[in-house]
Amino acid sequence: MQLTWVLRLTLVFTLLVILMGAYTRLSDAGLGCPDWPGCYGHIKVPIQDHEIAHAQTIFPDHDIHPEKAWLEMIHRYIAGGLGLLVLFILVLCLKTPEAPKKLPLIIVLLILFQAALGMWTVTMKLMPIVVMSHLIGGFSLISLLLLLYLRTRPRRIFNSETHARNLAPLALVSLFVLVGQIMLGAWTSSNYAALACTALPICEGNWVDNLAIAEAFSPFQGQHHSFEFGVLDYPARMTIHIAHRIGAIVTASLLLVLAYRLFVGAAGMRALSLLLVGLVILQVSLGISNVVMHLPLGIAVSHNGGAALLLLTLVAINYFLWRKA
């Protein structure tokens, strides 16, 4: 019982970390503190005159923006709290005879790697491949936590509906397609390409003749003093944005097909199928709103949260379809 409640708390806390990370990134505060794990040589944001003077001595090429620095440090503080919760989960699993042992260990290793990615995000000045990896790491973490939670609460949902397992391959393909779309979204965000196209449904102008696929998806973009605000030219950013839009159409269509098949073919999965439909509609609406309203902060952060909830829903669906009765 204690493990169950700690896992629930940790899932909520992980979603908070993901949303806070998105808020920090979208507020252009990813380099609010140019060092790690502290901030301008302090364990907190320098606000006193002597602290600011010392920070300017250490980092003469940086302008100190306390509001951005606080966003970055709050994100680090709550991420540190998440790390402690994950360690506590490992201890509980080791002490609970029937609890999984390998999965919580993998989760601990993942969060340690996430900490390293967080450091590299700062020290490598928001290099897109590192930023994207950090974002994907957060989504992977919350997915594994949900999987651990489901494994600690075994239950049957099919009864005699074993034919519903025929939908498992479709669910797995849907999960992989969604992961690919999330990666495209992370690449779009880390390259500051979210506003490269402001027309619907695909992009304005003669976009077909201006695609730059090789440049757009090269993981290494040369040496730069900083990658903040992006280093790619417009055709490359436009290509990234268009790929994300086309991916959204494919992903939404596939997920709606899966939801329909679940609704008519597995009575025990109808609640999840309806949830999936609702989240797809919400996520598409948020994506369109980002374009029409030019990326308002609240909607952009919610778009990240919607992606996380969609992923959790697909993880749960796959778990129930693939697990042994």
Side-chain angles (χ1 to χ4, degrees), residues 76-97:
R76 294 182 191 180
Y77 293 151
I78 61 176
L82 176 60
L84 294 177
L85 280 172
V86 168
L87 287 174
F88 185 45
I89 287 172
L90 176 61
V91 172
L92 288 177
C93 287
L94 293 176
K95 291 173 60 178
T96 306

Side-chain angles (χ1 to χ4, degrees), residues 220-292:
F220 305 106
Q221 300 171 359
Q223 297 293 327
H224 299 274
H225 175 69
S226 173
F227 293 88
E228 190 173 22
F229 307 118
V231 298
L232 297 178
D233 57 17
Y234 175 74
R237 297 193 203 205
M238 179 201 69
T239 302
I240 295 171
H241 187 108
I242 289 172
H244 184 49
R245 284 206 195 180
I246 294 175
I249 295 171
V250 173
T251 304
S253 300
L254 182 59
L255 294 187
L256 290 175
V257 170
L258 173 63
Y260 172 76
R261 295 286 302 278
L262 288 172
F263 188 83
V264 300
M269 303 285 283
R270 284 184 175 177
L272 280 174
S273 68
L274 292 175
L275 175 62
L276 182 58
V277 171
L279 288 173
V280 169
I281 294 173
L282 174 63
Q283 191 68 346
V284 170
S285 300
L286 289 171
I288 293 174
S289 298
N290 276 327
V291 174
V292 174

Side-chain angles (χ1 to χ4, degrees), residues 202-217:
I202 303 297
C203 195
E204 62 269 15
N206 187 21
W207 58 268
V208 176
D209 293 333
N210 292 309
L211 295 175
I213 297 176
E215 182 184 1
F217 296 103

